[in-house]
Amino acid sequence: MTIIFTFICSFCASYFFNVIYDAPKKLFIPAGFAGAMGYMVYFVLTESFHMDSIYTSLLGSLTLGLLSHIMSRIFKAPVVIFMIPGIIPLVPGSIAFRATQQLVTLQFTDATNTFIRAILVAGAIALGLLISDQLSKTLNIRKLWAIKRNRL
């Protein structure tokens, strides 16, 4: 039941962020699905396998990036329409808030550790999207080479 509720909430977050960005209406549901699947990878790996949130953020954003590239080819739309709203459930906002709260209450050691964790999670998200982008470009180049070889 928790997994279904988490899927619905992450889908709604991605869906309504697409509404805010005024994307084409036919892409609301696919973009929401891509964001929900990225967050579900994060959630399942965190809750079931007890992996660290830095690694699960990397794998969740990698999943999101690959799904975004696949859906952009299927729906003939820019990748950004699927990727940006899909990142929203993965962003470490609560960690950054907790770090700021610790800083205000003069818990400097805890605040430093929490800020570093937030930066590492954000970096893992960026790295996952970068890897997925490079993977999709690599697969496209190999497909192009195969086409060119057949023409010769």
Side-chain angles (χ1 to χ4, degrees):
M1 188 67 177
T2 306
I3 291 179
I4 295 170
F5 182 70
T6 304
F7 179 82
I8 291 170
C9 288
S10 58
F11 176 84
C12 288
S14 298
Y15 181 90
F16 288 117
F17 214 83
N18 229 350
V19 172
I20 290 171
Y21 274 153
D22 198 27
K25 289 184 181 179
K26 69 176 185 172
L27 300 177
F28 285 177
I29 292 176
F33 179 75
M37 290 308 295
Y39 187 77
M40 289 309 296
V41 168
Y42 168 83
F43 181 76
V44 168
L45 291 176
T46 302
E47 295 297 319
S48 299
F49 297 107
H50 305 290
M51 288 177 65
D52 192 37
S53 62
I54 297 169
Y55 303 119
T56 56
S57 295
L58 174 72
L59 294 173
S61 65
L62 182 66
T63 304
L64 168 68
L66 292 174
L67 274 174
S68 296
H69 281 283
I70 291 169
M71 287 187 177
S72 72
R73 288 187 180 98
I74 291 172
F75 293 103
K76 294 179 180 31
V79 178
V80 177
I81 290 178
F82 301 100
M83 207 176 276
I84 299 299
I87 294 172
I88 298 306
L90 291 173
V91 170
S94 64
I95 299 173
F97 176 78
R98 192 175 332 120
T100 306
Q101 186 180 26
Q102 290 167 346
L103 190 64
V104 169
T105 58
L106 303 177
Q107 300 171 352
F108 296 117
T109 306
D110 295 336
T112 304
N113 293 335
T114 311
F115 268 126
I116 290 172
R117 183 161 198 77
I119 291 170
L120 287 174
V121 169
I125 292 170
L127 183 64
L129 294 177
L130 178 72
I131 291 171
S132 68
D133 189 47
Q134 293 303 316
L135 279 175
S136 72
K137 286 180 181 178
T138 302
L139 295 175
N140 254 359
I141 289 172
R142 288 185 182 170
K143 186 177 179 182
L144 183 66
W145 284 346
I147 291 171
K148 284 183 179 179
R149 286 182 189 156
N150 289 336
R151 288 183 183 174
L152 294 177

PDB file of all heavy atoms in Angstrom, residues 116-150:
ATOM      1  N   ILE A 116      26.800  18.913   3.563  1.00  0.00           N
ATOM      2  CA  ILE A 116      27.628  18.077   2.688  1.00  0.00           C
ATOM      3  C   ILE A 116      26.797  16.942   2.105  1.00  0.00           C
ATOM      4  O   ILE A 116      26.909  16.615   0.923  1.00  0.00           O
ATOM      5  CB  ILE A 116      28.856  17.552   3.452  1.00  0.00           C
ATOM      6  CG1 ILE A 116      29.819  18.701   3.725  1.00  0.00           C
ATOM      7  CG2 ILE A 116      29.563  16.446   2.678  1.00  0.00           C
ATOM      8  CD1 ILE A 116      30.961  18.353   4.638  1.00  0.00           C
ATOM      9  N   ARG A 117      25.932  16.350   2.924  1.00  0.00           N
ATOM     10  CA  ARG A 117      25.056  15.270   2.438  1.00  0.00           C
ATOM     11  C   ARG A 117      24.103  15.785   1.356  1.00  0.00           C
ATOM     12  O   ARG A 117      23.886  15.121   0.343  1.00  0.00           O
ATOM     13  CB  ARG A 117      24.293  14.668   3.597  1.00  0.00           C
ATOM     14  CG  ARG A 117      23.442  13.510   3.200  1.00  0.00           C
ATOM     15  CD  ARG A 117      23.097  12.683   4.429  1.00  0.00           C
ATOM     16  NE  ARG A 117      22.654  11.390   4.053  1.00  0.00           N
ATOM     17  CZ  ARG A 117      23.419  10.402   3.652  1.00  0.00           C
ATOM     18  NH1 ARG A 117      24.706  10.568   3.568  1.00  0.00           N
ATOM     19  NH2 ARG A 117      22.919   9.238   3.318  1.00  0.00           N
ATOM     20  N   ALA A 118      23.540  16.968   1.563  1.00  0.00           N
ATOM     21  CA  ALA A 118      22.631  17.551   0.565  1.00  0.00           C
ATOM     22  C   ALA A 118      23.370  17.825  -0.742  1.00  0.00           C
ATOM     23  O   ALA A 118      22.834  17.571  -1.833  1.00  0.00           O
ATOM     24  CB  ALA A 118      22.007  18.834   1.111  1.00  0.00           C
ATOM     25  N   ILE A 119      24.587  18.315  -0.646  1.00  0.00           N
ATOM     26  CA  ILE A 119      25.378  18.580  -1.852  1.00  0.00           C
ATOM     27  C   ILE A 119      25.721  17.278  -2.575  1.00  0.00           C
ATOM     28  O   ILE A 119      25.678  17.208  -3.807  1.00  0.00           O
ATOM     29  CB  ILE A 119      26.638  19.382  -1.492  1.00  0.00           C
ATOM     30  CG1 ILE A 119      26.245  20.790  -1.081  1.00  0.00           C
ATOM     31  CG2 ILE A 119      27.627  19.413  -2.640  1.00  0.00           C
ATOM     32  CD1 ILE A 119      27.368  21.596  -0.473  1.00  0.00           C
ATOM     33  N   LEU A 120      26.047  16.233  -1.816  1.00  0.00           N
ATOM     34  CA  LEU A 120      26.356  14.940  -2.444  1.00  0.00           C
ATOM     35  C   LEU A 120      25.135  14.334  -3.132  1.00  0.00           C
ATOM     36  O   LEU A 120      25.243  13.753  -4.220  1.00  0.00           O
ATOM     37  CB  LEU A 120      26.920  13.974  -1.408  1.00  0.00           C
ATOM     38  CG  LEU A 120      28.348  14.259  -0.940  1.00  0.00           C
ATOM     39  CD1 LEU A 120      28.733  13.319   0.197  1.00  0.00           C
ATOM     40  CD2 LEU A 120      29.311  14.125  -2.098  1.00  0.00           C
ATOM     41  N   VAL A 121      23.968  14.466  -2.519  1.00  0.00           N
ATOM     42  CA  VAL A 121      22.744  13.948  -3.149  1.00  0.00           C
ATOM     43  C   VAL A 121      22.441  14.730  -4.426  1.00  0.00           C
ATOM     44  O   VAL A 121      22.110  14.141  -5.466  1.00  0.00           O
ATOM     45  CB  VAL A 121      21.557  13.987  -2.159  1.00  0.00           C
ATOM     46  CG1 VAL A 121      20.251  13.703  -2.865  1.00  0.00           C
ATOM     47  CG2 VAL A 121      21.765  12.992  -1.037  1.00  0.00           C
ATOM     48  N   ALA A 122      22.569  16.052  -4.372  1.00  0.00           N
ATOM     49  CA  ALA A 122      22.325  16.866  -5.569  1.00  0.00           C
ATOM     50  C   ALA A 122      23.340  16.539  -6.663  1.00  0.00           C
ATOM     51  O   ALA A 122      22.985  16.465  -7.855  1.00  0.00           O
ATOM     52  CB  ALA A 122      22.387  18.349  -5.209  1.00  0.00           C
ATOM     53  N   GLY A 123      24.582  16.319  -6.283  1.00  0.00           N
ATOM     54  CA  GLY A 123      25.597  15.928  -7.264  1.00  0.00           C
ATOM     55  C   GLY A 123      25.327  14.563  -7.865  1.00  0.00           C
ATOM     56  O   GLY A 123      25.568  14.333  -9.049  1.00  0.00           O
ATOM     57  N   ALA A 124      24.809  13.647  -7.051  1.00  0.00           N
ATOM     58  CA  ALA A 124      24.468  12.314  -7.563  1.00  0.00           C
ATOM     59  C   ALA A 124      23.326  12.403  -8.571  1.00  0.00           C
ATOM     60  O   ALA A 124      23.327  11.691  -9.582  1.00  0.00           O
ATOM     61  CB  ALA A 124      24.095  11.390  -6.409  1.00  0.00           C
ATOM     62  N   ILE A 125      22.359  13.275  -8.311  1.00  0.00           N
ATOM     63  CA  ILE A 125      21.253  13.459  -9.260  1.00  0.00           C
ATOM     64  C   ILE A 125      21.793  14.011 -10.583  1.00  0.00           C
ATOM     65  O   ILE A 125      21.442  13.521 -11.663  1.00  0.00           O
ATOM     66  CB  ILE A 125      20.183  14.388  -8.660  1.00  0.00           C
ATOM     67  CG1 ILE A 125      19.485  13.701  -7.494  1.00  0.00           C
ATOM     68  CG2 ILE A 125      19.161  14.799  -9.715  1.00  0.00           C
ATOM     69  CD1 ILE A 125      18.593  14.614  -6.685  1.00  0.00           C
ATOM     70  N   ALA A 126      22.653  15.007 -10.499  1.00  0.00           N
ATOM     71  CA  ALA A 126      23.230  15.582 -11.717  1.00  0.00           C
ATOM     72  C   ALA A 126      24.076  14.559 -12.470  1.00  0.00           C
ATOM     73  O   ALA A 126      24.021  14.481 -13.707  1.00  0.00           O
ATOM     74  CB  ALA A 126      24.073  16.802 -11.360  1.00  0.00           C
ATOM     75  N   LEU A 127      24.837  13.761 -11.745  1.00  0.00           N
ATOM     76  CA  LEU A 127      25.676  12.738 -12.384  1.00  0.00           C
ATOM     77  C   LEU A 127      24.821  11.675 -13.066  1.00  0.00           C
ATOM     78  O   LEU A 127      25.142  11.231 -14.176  1.00  0.00           O
ATOM     79  CB  LEU A 127      26.605  12.105 -11.355  1.00  0.00           C
ATOM     80  CG  LEU A 127      27.593  11.071 -11.885  1.00  0.00           C
ATOM     81  CD1 LEU A 127      28.574  11.738 -12.847  1.00  0.00           C
ATOM     82  CD2 LEU A 127      28.321  10.406 -10.743  1.00  0.00           C
ATOM     83  N   GLY A 128      23.732  11.274 -12.439  1.00  0.00           N
ATOM     84  CA  GLY A 128      22.844  10.286 -13.053  1.00  0.00           C
ATOM     85  C   GLY A 128      22.230  10.795 -14.352  1.00  0.00           C
ATOM     86  O   GLY A 128      22.144  10.060 -15.343  1.00  0.00           O
ATOM     87  N   LEU A 129      21.830  12.060 -14.362  1.00  0.00           N
ATOM     88  CA  LEU A 129      21.271  12.637 -15.590  1.00  0.00           C
ATOM     89  C   LEU A 129      22.341  12.777 -16.668  1.00  0.00           C
ATOM     90  O   LEU A 129      22.074  12.562 -17.852  1.00  0.00           O
ATOM     91  CB  LEU A 129      20.629  13.989 -15.289  1.00  0.00           C
ATOM     92  CG  LEU A 129      19.391  13.949 -14.397  1.00  0.00           C
ATOM     93  CD1 LEU A 129      18.904  15.353 -14.109  1.00  0.00           C
ATOM     94  CD2 LEU A 129      18.292  13.110 -15.019  1.00  0.00           C
ATOM     95  N   LEU A 130      23.554  13.119 -16.261  1.00  0.00           N
ATOM     96  CA  LEU A 130      24.660  13.225 -17.215  1.00  0.00           C
ATOM     97  C   LEU A 130      24.994  11.868 -17.833  1.00  0.00           C
ATOM     98  O   LEU A 130      25.175  11.757 -19.048  1.00  0.00           O
ATOM     99  CB  LEU A 130      25.893  13.812 -16.523  1.00  0.00           C
ATOM    100  CG  LEU A 130      27.144  13.943 -17.380  1.00  0.00           C
ATOM    101  CD1 LEU A 130      26.963  15.066 -18.388  1.00  0.00           C
ATOM    102  CD2 LEU A 130      28.345  14.186 -16.520  1.00  0.00           C
ATOM    103  N   ILE A 131      25.058  10.840 -17.014  1.00  0.00           N
ATOM    104  CA  ILE A 131      25.358   9.492 -17.522  1.00  0.00           C
ATOM    105  C   ILE A 131      24.266   9.024 -18.474  1.00  0.00           C
ATOM    106  O   ILE A 131      24.558   8.457 -19.531  1.00  0.00           O
ATOM    107  CB  ILE A 131      25.548   8.507 -16.356  1.00  0.00           C
ATOM    108  CG1 ILE A 131      26.832   8.829 -15.594  1.00  0.00           C
ATOM    109  CG2 ILE A 131      25.578   7.064 -16.847  1.00  0.00           C
ATOM    110  CD1 ILE A 131      26.987   8.053 -14.303  1.00  0.00           C
ATOM    111  N   SER A 132      23.014   9.270 -18.120  1.00  0.00           N
ATOM    112  CA  SER A 132      21.921   8.835 -19.005  1.00  0.00           C
ATOM    113  C   SER A 132      21.963   9.587 -20.333  1.00  0.00           C
ATOM    114  O   SER A 132      21.688   9.007 -21.384  1.00  0.00           O
ATOM    115  CB  SER A 132      20.569   9.034 -18.323  1.00  0.00           C
ATOM    116  OG  SER A 132      20.292  10.414 -18.175  1.00  0.00           O
ATOM    117  N   ASP A 133      22.315  10.866 -20.296  1.00  0.00           N
ATOM    118  CA  ASP A 133      22.427  11.642 -21.527  1.00  0.00           C
ATOM    119  C   ASP A 133      23.542  11.099 -22.410  1.00  0.00           C
ATOM    120  O   ASP A 133      23.375  10.944 -23.624  1.00  0.00           O
ATOM    121  CB  ASP A 133      22.676  13.113 -21.183  1.00  0.00           C
ATOM    122  CG  ASP A 133      22.577  14.009 -22.389  1.00  0.00           C
ATOM    123  OD1 ASP A 133      21.597  13.854 -23.156  1.00  0.00           O
ATOM    124  OD2 ASP A 133      23.457  14.863 -22.572  1.00  0.00           O
ATOM    125  N   GLN A 134      24.671  10.778 -21.808  1.00  0.00           N
ATOM    126  CA  GLN A 134      25.791  10.238 -22.586  1.00  0.00           C
ATOM    127  C   GLN A 134      25.479   8.842 -23.122  1.00  0.00           C
ATOM    128  O   GLN A 134      25.882   8.504 -24.238  1.00  0.00           O
ATOM    129  CB  GLN A 134      27.064  10.222 -21.738  1.00  0.00           C
ATOM    130  CG  GLN A 134      27.567  11.606 -21.392  1.00  0.00           C
ATOM    131  CD  GLN A 134      27.823  12.447 -22.632  1.00  0.00           C
ATOM    132  OE1 GLN A 134      28.396  11.997 -23.596  1.00  0.00           O
ATOM    133  NE2 GLN A 134      27.364  13.689 -22.586  1.00  0.00           N
ATOM    134  N   LEU A 135      24.775   8.038 -22.336  1.00  0.00           N
ATOM    135  CA  LEU A 135      24.382   6.704 -22.821  1.00  0.00           C
ATOM    136  C   LEU A 135      23.460   6.808 -24.026  1.00  0.00           C
ATOM    137  O   LEU A 135      23.604   6.060 -24.998  1.00  0.00           O
ATOM    138  CB  LEU A 135      23.694   5.914 -21.703  1.00  0.00           C
ATOM    139  CG  LEU A 135      24.589   5.246 -20.687  1.00  0.00           C
ATOM    140  CD1 LEU A 135      23.747   4.620 -19.578  1.00  0.00           C
ATOM    141  CD2 LEU A 135      25.448   4.187 -21.339  1.00  0.00           C
ATOM    142  N   SER A 136      22.504   7.729 -23.970  1.00  0.00           N
ATOM    143  CA  SER A 136      21.582   7.852 -25.102  1.00  0.00           C
ATOM    144  C   SER A 136      22.301   8.365 -26.342  1.00  0.00           C
ATOM    145  O   SER A 136      22.003   7.943 -27.455  1.00  0.00           O
ATOM    146  CB  SER A 136      20.410   8.760 -24.740  1.00  0.00           C
ATOM    147  OG  SER A 136      20.835  10.099 -24.673  1.00  0.00           O
ATOM    148  N   LYS A 137      23.264   9.265 -26.163  1.00  0.00           N
ATOM    149  CA  LYS A 137      24.033   9.750 -27.313  1.00  0.00           C
ATOM    150  C   LYS A 137      24.907   8.646 -27.890  1.00  0.00           C
ATOM    151  O   LYS A 137      25.039   8.527 -29.105  1.00  0.00           O
ATOM    152  CB  LYS A 137      24.892  10.945 -26.911  1.00  0.00           C
ATOM    153  CG  LYS A 137      24.110  12.198 -26.708  1.00  0.00           C
ATOM    154  CD  LYS A 137      25.000  13.350 -26.323  1.00  0.00           C
ATOM    155  CE  LYS A 137      24.176  14.597 -26.091  1.00  0.00           C
ATOM    156  NZ  LYS A 137      25.001  15.741 -25.670  1.00  0.00           N
ATOM    157  N   THR A 138      25.490   7.819 -27.023  1.00  0.00           N
ATOM    158  CA  THR A 138      26.324   6.715 -27.487  1.00  0.00           C
ATOM    159  C   THR A 138      25.502   5.710 -28.272  1.00  0.00           C
ATOM    160  O   THR A 138      25.929   5.238 -29.331  1.00  0.00           O
ATOM    161  CB  THR A 138      26.990   6.015 -26.285  1.00  0.00           C
ATOM    162  OG1 THR A 138      27.749   6.976 -25.577  1.00  0.00           O
ATOM    163  CG2 THR A 138      27.888   4.887 -26.747  1.00  0.00           C
ATOM    164  N   LEU A 139      24.323   5.390 -27.779  1.00  0.00           N
ATOM    165  CA  LEU A 139      23.472   4.436 -28.492  1.00  0.00           C
ATOM    166  C   LEU A 139      23.003   5.005 -29.819  1.00  0.00           C
ATOM    167  O   LEU A 139      22.864   4.284 -30.794  1.00  0.00           O
ATOM    168  CB  LEU A 139      22.285   4.040 -27.615  1.00  0.00           C
ATOM    169  CG  LEU A 139      22.653   3.281 -26.341  1.00  0.00           C
ATOM    170  CD1 LEU A 139      21.412   3.055 -25.488  1.00  0.00           C
ATOM    171  CD2 LEU A 139      23.333   1.973 -26.658  1.00  0.00           C
ATOM    172  N   ASN A 140      22.763   6.313 -29.881  1.00  0.00           N
ATOM    173  CA  ASN A 140      22.376   6.950 -31.135  1.00  0.00           C
ATOM    174  C   ASN A 140      23.510   6.906 -32.145  1.00  0.00           C
ATOM    175  O   ASN A 140      23.286   6.680 -33.328  1.00  0.00           O
ATOM    176  CB  ASN A 140      21.996   8.406 -30.876  1.00  0.00           C
ATOM    177  CG  ASN A 140      20.516   8.619 -30.940  1.00  0.00           C
ATOM    178  OD1 ASN A 140      19.762   7.694 -31.195  1.00  0.00           O
ATOM    179  ND2 ASN A 140      20.103   9.836 -30.683  1.00  0.00           N
ATOM    180  N   ILE A 141      24.741   7.148 -31.716  1.00  0.00           N
ATOM    181  CA  ILE A 141      25.892   7.146 -32.618  1.00  0.00           C
ATOM    182  C   ILE A 141      26.108   5.741 -33.185  1.00  0.00           C
ATOM    183  O   ILE A 141      26.356   5.579 -34.380  1.00  0.00           O
ATOM    184  CB  ILE A 141      27.147   7.658 -31.888  1.00  0.00           C
ATOM    185  CG1 ILE A 141      27.007   9.160 -31.634  1.00  0.00           C
ATOM    186  CG2 ILE A 141      28.405   7.382 -32.686  1.00  0.00           C
ATOM    187  CD1 ILE A 141      28.090   9.730 -30.746  1.00  0.00           C
ATOM    188  N   ARG A 142      25.983   4.732 -32.349  1.00  0.00           N
ATOM    189  CA  ARG A 142      26.158   3.365 -32.847  1.00  0.00           C
ATOM    190  C   ARG A 142      25.087   3.015 -33.877  1.00  0.00           C
ATOM    191  O   ARG A 142      25.359   2.346 -34.868  1.00  0.00           O
ATOM    192  CB  ARG A 142      26.118   2.376 -31.687  1.00  0.00           C
ATOM    193  CG  ARG A 142      27.354   2.443 -30.850  1.00  0.00           C
ATOM    194  CD  ARG A 142      27.355   1.389 -29.806  1.00  0.00           C
ATOM    195  NE  ARG A 142      28.544   1.521 -28.976  1.00  0.00           N
ATOM    196  CZ  ARG A 142      28.747   0.869 -27.880  1.00  0.00           C
ATOM    197  NH1 ARG A 142      27.845   0.024 -27.436  1.00  0.00           N
ATOM    198  NH2 ARG A 142      29.846   1.042 -27.181  1.00  0.00           N
ATOM    199  N   LYS A 143      23.854   3.467 -33.648  1.00  0.00           N
ATOM    200  CA  LYS A 143      22.785   3.215 -34.610  1.00  0.00           C
ATOM    201  C   LYS A 143      23.084   3.937 -35.924  1.00  0.00           C
ATOM    202  O   LYS A 143      22.884   3.394 -37.000  1.00  0.00           O
ATOM    203  CB  LYS A 143      21.456   3.688 -34.016  1.00  0.00           C
ATOM    204  CG  LYS A 143      20.257   3.354 -34.834  1.00  0.00           C
ATOM    205  CD  LYS A 143      19.001   3.803 -34.109  1.00  0.00           C
ATOM    206  CE  LYS A 143      17.772   3.505 -34.899  1.00  0.00           C
ATOM    207  NZ  LYS A 143      16.551   3.967 -34.230  1.00  0.00           N
ATOM    208  N   LEU A 144      23.605   5.164 -35.839  1.00  0.00           N
ATOM    209  CA  LEU A 144      23.951   5.937 -37.030  1.00  0.00           C
ATOM    210  C   LEU A 144      25.081   5.266 -37.801  1.00  0.00           C
ATOM    211  O   LEU A 144      25.047   5.186 -39.028  1.00  0.00           O
ATOM    212  CB  LEU A 144      24.339   7.362 -36.634  1.00  0.00           C
ATOM    213  CG  LEU A 144      24.670   8.322 -37.765  1.00  0.00           C
ATOM    214  CD1 LEU A 144      23.433   8.579 -38.609  1.00  0.00           C
ATOM    215  CD2 LEU A 144      25.230   9.622 -37.213  1.00  0.00           C
ATOM    216  N   TRP A 145      26.089   4.751 -37.096  1.00  0.00           N
ATOM    217  CA  TRP A 145      27.186   4.055 -37.759  1.00  0.00           C
ATOM    218  C   TRP A 145      26.697   2.802 -38.475  1.00  0.00           C
ATOM    219  O   TRP A 145      27.163   2.480 -39.556  1.00  0.00           O
ATOM    220  CB  TRP A 145      28.258   3.665 -36.758  1.00  0.00           C
ATOM    221  CG  TRP A 145      29.135   4.803 -36.321  1.00  0.00           C
ATOM    222  CD1 TRP A 145      29.252   6.031 -36.899  1.00  0.00           C
ATOM    223  CD2 TRP A 145      30.000   4.792 -35.214  1.00  0.00           C
ATOM    224  NE1 TRP A 145      30.144   6.802 -36.206  1.00  0.00           N
ATOM    225  CE2 TRP A 145      30.623   6.067 -35.155  1.00  0.00           C
ATOM    226  CE3 TRP A 145      30.318   3.856 -34.251  1.00  0.00           C
ATOM    227  CZ2 TRP A 145      31.541   6.396 -34.180  1.00  0.00           C
ATOM    228  CZ3 TRP A 145      31.243   4.197 -33.273  1.00  0.00           C
ATOM    229  CH2 TRP A 145      31.848   5.452 -33.249  1.00  0.00           C
ATOM    230  N   ALA A 146      25.773   2.096 -37.877  1.00  0.00           N
ATOM    231  CA  ALA A 146      25.237   0.899 -38.506  1.00  0.00           C
ATOM    232  C   ALA A 146      24.498   1.244 -39.789  1.00  0.00           C
ATOM    233  O   ALA A 146      24.602   0.542 -40.800  1.00  0.00           O
ATOM    234  CB  ALA A 146      24.304   0.155 -37.546  1.00  0.00           C
ATOM    235  N   ILE A 147      23.784   2.351 -39.789  1.00  0.00           N
ATOM    236  CA  ILE A 147      23.063   2.780 -40.982  1.00  0.00           C
ATOM    237  C   ILE A 147      24.067   3.178 -42.070  1.00  0.00           C
ATOM    238  O   ILE A 147      23.911   2.834 -43.243  1.00  0.00           O
ATOM    239  CB  ILE A 147      22.096   3.940 -40.656  1.00  0.00           C
ATOM    240  CG1 ILE A 147      20.957   3.406 -39.785  1.00  0.00           C
ATOM    241  CG2 ILE A 147      21.538   4.566 -41.925  1.00  0.00           C
ATOM    242  CD1 ILE A 147      20.067   4.503 -39.233  1.00  0.00           C
ATOM    243  N   LYS A 148      25.112   3.918 -41.704  1.00  0.00           N
ATOM    244  CA  LYS A 148      26.100   4.360 -42.689  1.00  0.00           C
ATOM    245  C   LYS A 148      26.862   3.181 -43.267  1.00  0.00           C
ATOM    246  O   LYS A 148      27.181   3.154 -44.452  1.00  0.00           O
ATOM    247  CB  LYS A 148      27.086   5.335 -42.043  1.00  0.00           C
ATOM    248  CG  LYS A 148      26.507   6.704 -41.845  1.00  0.00           C
ATOM    249  CD  LYS A 148      27.563   7.641 -41.282  1.00  0.00           C
ATOM    250  CE  LYS A 148      26.998   9.033 -41.109  1.00  0.00           C
ATOM    251  NZ  LYS A 148      28.001   9.946 -40.555  1.00  0.00           N
ATOM    252  N   ARG A 149      27.158   2.175 -42.485  1.00  0.00           N
ATOM    253  CA  ARG A 149      27.884   1.002 -42.984  1.00  0.00           C
ATOM    254  C   ARG A 149      27.039   0.227 -43.988  1.00  0.00           C
ATOM    255  O   ARG A 149      27.556  -0.333 -44.945  1.00  0.00           O
ATOM    256  CB  ARG A 149      28.273   0.091 -41.825  1.00  0.00           C
ATOM    257  CG  ARG A 149      29.410   0.638 -41.021  1.00  0.00           C
ATOM    258  CD  ARG A 149      29.787  -0.297 -39.933  1.00  0.00           C
ATOM    259  NE  ARG A 149      30.747   0.334 -39.039  1.00  0.00           N
ATOM    260  CZ  ARG A 149      30.939   0.001 -37.799  1.00  0.00           C
ATOM    261  NH1 ARG A 149      30.243  -0.982 -37.272  1.00  0.00           N
ATOM    262  NH2 ARG A 149      31.813   0.636 -37.068  1.00  0.00           N
ATOM    263  N   ASN A 150      25.747   0.163 -43.753  1.00  0.00           N
ATOM    264  CA  ASN A 150      24.868  -0.574 -44.650  1.00  0.00           C
ATOM    265  C   ASN A 150      24.708   0.141 -45.981  1.00  0.00           C
ATOM    266  O   ASN A 150      24.418  -0.471 -46.999  1.00  0.00           O
ATOM    267  CB  ASN A 150      23.497  -0.792 -44.011  1.00  0.00           C
ATOM    268  CG  ASN A 150      23.567  -1.805 -42.880  1.00  0.00           C
ATOM    269  OD1 ASN A 150      24.477  -2.646 -42.841  1.00  0.00           O
ATOM    270  ND2 ASN A 150      22.640  -1.719 -41.956  1.00  0.00           N
TER     271      ASN A 150
END
